[in-house]
Amino acid sequence: MKREEKNKISTQQIKDAAIRLFAKHNSTDISVNELCRDNNISKGKFYHYFASKDDLLMVCASYVIDDVCADIEAVAVSPQRPLEENLRNYYASRISYWVAHTDYFVLISLILNSRDYEFKKRFRPLRAEFDAALSGKTLEILHAANVKKNISDSELLEVMKLVYDNMFLTDMAKIVDALHAGDTAHAQKLCNDLLGLYTRLINVMLYGILSDKPDNTTPPPRNLA
């Protein structure tokens, strides 16, 4: 085996072990001693490939973001399919990805939800890469449908980012917790509920929340004279 290939395998083994440990402890503050002991990695080997725990965390986060973005970009968008179907397929793919990569989800959530400003600042380029992938696929889906929008692309993406950060990631965290607890039936129910919620959101986005017909359920004003 060539040295370059051996180094790549060794680095990947350490990254995989670290990501599992981040998820296990639900913390980015892991012990190099525990990482090495539990995974039969010598400290010499660890420090040969990584300068520090912080270096390892950055490498792991970059690896996960690259994988997430590649998966987002791989989602097929067909101009022959209705807009609703393309959007639903896209959201279903996001749920399926995180279900298959729960440890990745925990690591990304730890970074996104950190209250440490300086800590989050280090990961801003990765967050920008992640946001760009989400935005790019959303616009690809909308432009493929060639629909007329009443708001600009930037306004739409701002709304979608708020929805993703405050709804999708929160609900996805519940699914990941259920999977880690071994409750696959509950996790599947939560997945179905989340996709159903996104389906309703799609309908709101496409057809609006205001009817063009008068609301006949509102009683006429009382004559107080």
Side-chain angles (χ1 to χ4, degrees):
M1 183 184 299
K2 294 182 179 180
R3 179 176 295 276
E4 182 179 348
E5 184 179 354
K6 183 178 180 180
N7 289 343
K8 184 176 180 180
I9 292 173
S10 296
T11 303
Q12 188 63 50
Q13 289 174 339
I14 296 174
K15 285 189 296 187
D16 289 342
I19 291 169
R20 288 195 300 270
L21 198 57
F22 291 135
K24 176 183 176 181
H25 292 292
N26 196 29
S27 171
T28 57
D29 186 19
I30 65 171
S31 164
V32 173
N33 286 334
E34 182 178 1
L35 172 67
C36 292
R37 182 184 67 244
D38 292 356
N39 295 279
N40 196 28
I41 301 169
S42 70
K43 278 194 173 182
K45 183 177 182 179
F46 174 86
Y47 285 111
H48 176 73
Y49 294 107
F50 300 96
S52 63
K53 288 195 303 181
D54 287 346
D55 178 39
L56 173 65
L57 175 58
M58 182 60 74
V59 170
C60 288
S62 181
Y63 169 74
V64 169
I65 289 294
D66 285 347
D67 194 75
V68 174
C69 291
D71 190 77
I72 291 172
E73 292 165 4
V75 174
V77 178
S78 172
Q80 281 69 49
R81 285 198 297 260
L83 175 59
E84 299 96 315
E85 186 177 345
N86 276 325
L87 282 171
R88 193 176 191 279
N89 288 346
Y90 170 58
Y91 292 127
S93 75
R94 302 321 323 128
I95 295 172
S96 296
Y97 177 87
W98 290 124
V99 166
H101 301 82
T102 56
D103 289 351
Y104 290 8
F105 182 86
V106 173
L107 176 56
I108 296 303
S109 295
L110 288 170
I111 293 170
L112 294 180
N113 296 328
S114 174
R115 296 180 180 275
D116 186 329
Y117 174 79
E118 290 300 325
F119 177 83
K120 292 185 73 171
K121 185 177 178 181
R122 291 167 48 206
F123 297 94
R124 279 181 183 171
L126 294 180
R127 176 65 202 248
E129 182 183 346
F130 180 48
D131 288 345
L134 292 173
S135 299
K137 184 57 63 174
T138 299
L139 291 179
E140 180 186 350
I141 293 171
L142 293 174
H143 293 167
N146 194 29
V147 293
K148 181 180 179 181
K149 303 188 299 297
N150 295 321
I151 60 175
S152 67
D153 285 349
S154 60
E155 290 173 313
L156 175 63
L157 292 176
E158 184 178 355
V159 171
M160 295 307 296
K161 184 176 184 301
L162 287 171
V163 169
Y164 193 87
D165 284 357
N166 296 292
M167 185 187 82
F168 181 84
L169 292 179
T170 299
D171 286 351
M172 198 67 229
K174 298 175 184 177
I175 295 170
V176 170
D177 286 345
L179 289 170
H180 283 173
D183 194 345
T184 55
H186 184 53
Q188 184 58 58
K189 179 182 181 303
L190 292 175
C191 286
N192 294 338
D193 289 347
L194 179 54
L195 188 56
L197 184 59
Y198 254 116
T199 300
R200 293 194 296 275
L201 174 63
I202 290 169
N203 288 332
V204 170
M205 287 173 55
L206 297 180
Y207 305 116
I209 58 174
L210 299 177
S211 171
D212 57 1
K213 297 180 180 180
D215 184 356
N216 296 322
T217 62
T218 304
R222 295 172 57 189
N223 188 352
L224 301 179

